[in-house]
Amino acid sequence: MKNHAYKSNQRRACPAFSLFEVLMFIAIIGVMVGMLVPMLGHHDTAYAARDRRNAQELCSTCMMAQAAEVNFVQDESVIDTVRAIVRGGMSVRGAMRGRVFMVPGLSDEDIQGAAKYLRVRDGQLLYTTTAMTAPPGDQRL
């Protein structure tokens, strides 16, 4: 005859997680979420930083070209001016003769993003730190 009292006192193995394992799982998930949330918030900031950097590069290239008597400013239009800088131009006289001024490799998306931070005023291309939300009539994006 089998001893049933002995088996009833024996502890059965449960296929469950211990409290420590559950707390470790929650802690790992919390760390992963903590790393993910800031990256999601900086998505637009990264694009804005890229656009500002492109706008600064376009503005400084335009200023250098104007110093060499190459004028890229087109009829007070930011988009046309930026496209002229991307196409480039060459100085034909003076100390900068033969020097090519251009900003190659900008896509239409890059041009439109940079144009939000640029203004044309008095024949000069100017960089501003704030994006223009509603462009004036002649500076349509």
Side-chain angles (χ1 to χ4, degrees), residues 27-138:
I28 290 170
I29 295 297
V31 168
M32 291 171 61
V33 168
M35 290 173 22
L36 180 66
V37 168
M39 291 177 14
L40 293 175
H42 291 292
H43 183 68
D44 292 336
T45 306
Y47 283 124
R50 180 199 64 191
D51 293 341
R52 284 193 305 271
R53 184 185 67 238
N54 288 338
Q56 290 170 350
E57 182 70 25
L58 288 163
C59 190
S60 65
T61 301
C62 186
M63 285 183 186
M64 287 187 297
Q66 285 178 334
E69 299 178 12
V70 178
N71 191 12
F72 288 121
V73 179
Q74 306 284 322
D75 300 326
E76 301 293 321
S77 173
V78 171
I79 293 293
D80 293 339
T81 300
V82 170
R83 287 198 173 118
I85 296 170
V86 170
R87 281 191 306 270
M90 182 186 310
S91 179
V92 292
R93 59 179 180 244
M96 299 287 236
R97 183 179 49 219
R99 169 100 161 107
V100 176
F101 297 94
M102 67 185 300
V103 179
L106 292 181
S107 67
D108 283 337
E109 179 186 351
D110 293 336
I111 290 172
Q112 291 185 5
K116 292 187 289 187
Y117 295 95
L118 296 170
R119 310 288 179 273
V120 174
R121 187 176 302 138
D122 300 327
Q124 298 273 332
L125 185 65
L126 304 172
Y127 170 75
T128 60
T129 57
T130 57
M132 182 170 53
T133 55
D138 66 327

